[in-house]
């Protein structure tokens, strides 16, 4: 399957909108992740892959709600200017269920974690994404994260400062602005997730089996188009 997916790595992203930019200084010492696996609440589920979700998180919102634990130091208190970060690339099924925890996975090599920490600024989340989602693809951690990061880096983002300053902003208006920054994307090809306070936390971009932007299925979740949302601005 990976051979089928590789051509998407040559995606030509528009340059007029904002790329995920900014300097990222890695910590001198990178912690070792903890091994994860399926649980009673999150069981192993081996299913055919029908589509994908590319999930990106708005870091200022996450950090505004962070409780200050050490696990968030790199993302929220290192001086790095994170905007949208990569949550992960998730294989979906053909219905409401999705494959997960398909095979046991050991702790990721430090080299893999180091290479992707500026895209996904959490050592444990990188480990989690591999064991929960990556093991359901016929690939290696190196190739899985390279593909995930390439798709993430191909995204372009709207002017979040301008959107954060709007007195009112509907989910549909945000999705329209996000889609306009990305060639081949429309507002119905993403789902927005918000916090309990109504602030934007994540954007889930829906993709087909060939990793092309596609209309999200009705069961994908997210808030309704008319929902009023707020954006936590960068500091």
């Amino acid at each position: 399957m990976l051979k089928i997916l590789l051509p998407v790595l040559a995606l030509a992203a528009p340059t007029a909108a904002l790329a995920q930019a900014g300097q990222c200084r890695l910590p001198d010492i990178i912690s070792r992740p903890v091994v994860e696996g399926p649980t009673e609440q999150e069981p192993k589920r081996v299913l055919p892959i029908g589509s994908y979700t590319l999930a990106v998180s708005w870091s200022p919102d996450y950090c505004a709600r962070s409780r200050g634990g050490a696990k968030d130091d790199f993302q929220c208190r290192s001086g790095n200017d994170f905007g949208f970060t990569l949550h992960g690339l998730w294989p979906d099924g053909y219905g409401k269920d999705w494959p997960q925890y398909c095979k046991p996975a050991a702790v990721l090599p430090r080299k893999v974690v180091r290479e992707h920490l500026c895209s996904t600024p959490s050592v444990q989340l990188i480990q989690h994404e591999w064991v929960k989602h990556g093991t359901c693809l016929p690939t290696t951690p190196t190739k899985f994260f390279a593909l995930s990061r390439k798709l993430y880096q191909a995204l372009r983002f709207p002017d979040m400062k301008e959107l954060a300053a709007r007195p009112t902003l509907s989910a549909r208006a945000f999705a329209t602005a996000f889609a306009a920054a990305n060639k081949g994307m429309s507002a119905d090809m993403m789902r927005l997730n918000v916090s309990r306070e109504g602030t934007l936390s994540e954007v889930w971009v829906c993709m087909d089996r060939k990793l092309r932007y596609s209309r999200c299925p009705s069961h994908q979740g997210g808030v309704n188009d008319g929902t009023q949302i707020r954006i936590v601005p960068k500091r």
Side-chain angles (χ1 to χ4, degrees):
M1 178 182 290
L2 191 63
K3 290 182 179 179
I4 297 175
L5 303 183
L6 286 178
V8 78
L9 299 185
L11 280 171
T15 57
L18 303 176
Q20 179 58 41
Q23 297 294 323
C24 174
R25 297 175 59 185
L26 289 171
D28 294 331
I29 299 175
I30 296 178
S31 61
R32 187 175 175 85
V34 176
V35 175
E36 294 186 23
T39 64
E40 185 176 346
Q41 292 74 30
E42 290 279 326
K44 175 180 178 179
R45 198 158 54 218
V46 180
L47 296 171
I49 297 173
S51 59
Y52 292 87
T53 297
L54 181 66
V56 294
S57 305
W58 181 235
S59 186
D61 178 74
Y62 175 81
C63 291
R65 294 184 286 109
S66 169
R67 297 183 178 180
K71 71 181 182 67
D72 295 332
D73 282 349
F74 175 63
Q75 181 170 356
C76 303
R77 286 169 287 278
S78 64
N80 288 316
D81 187 24
F82 290 113
F84 276 106
T85 58
L86 172 63
H87 186 157
L89 176 65
W90 307 336
D92 296 316
Y94 283 94
K96 293 183 178 181
D97 288 332
W98 58 89
Q100 62 180 19
Y101 298 108
C102 294
K103 293 176 291 188
V107 169
L108 288 169
R110 279 195 171 90
K111 182 176 184 294
V112 172
V113 174
R114 175 174 289 274
E115 287 175 347
H116 300 283
L117 196 56
C118 284
S119 298
T120 303
S122 165
V123 170
Q124 193 58 43
L125 180 57
I126 293 174
Q127 175 74 29
H128 173 80
E129 291 302 299
W130 168 244
V131 65
K132 184 174 181 179
H133 304 291
T135 60
C136 295
L137 278 70
T139 187
T140 65
T142 298
K143 292 180 179 179
F144 172 70
F145 286 113
L147 175 62
S148 303
R149 188 172 66 175
K150 191 71 177 184
L151 293 168
Y152 159 70
Q153 291 177 338
L155 286 175
R156 295 296 181 264
F157 303 104
D159 186 339
M160 296 297 284
K161 182 178 181 180
E162 186 275 327
L163 292 172
R166 292 189 187 183
T168 60
L169 179 67
S170 69
R172 183 70 178 191
F174 176 87
T176 299
F178 194 103
N182 293 276
K183 185 178 180 180
M185 187 185 295
S186 58
D188 60 356
M189 294 178 176
M190 73 191 76
R191 291 288 185 261
L192 307 184
N193 286 274
V194 301
S195 69
R196 292 180 179 178
E197 295 76 27
T199 55
L200 177 73
S201 58
E202 291 203 328
V203 179
W204 292 1
V205 179
C206 299
M207 312 182 92
D208 64 17
R209 292 185 75 245
K210 293 185 178 181
L211 294 174
R212 299 171 300 196
Y213 302 136
S214 63
R215 183 176 297 175
C216 295
S218 58
H219 61 259
Q220 188 73 7
V223 297
N224 296 327
D225 285 352
T227 301
Q228 292 297 305
I229 66 174
R230 293 183 293 109
I231 296 173
V232 175
K234 280 189 175 184
R235 295 179 182 177

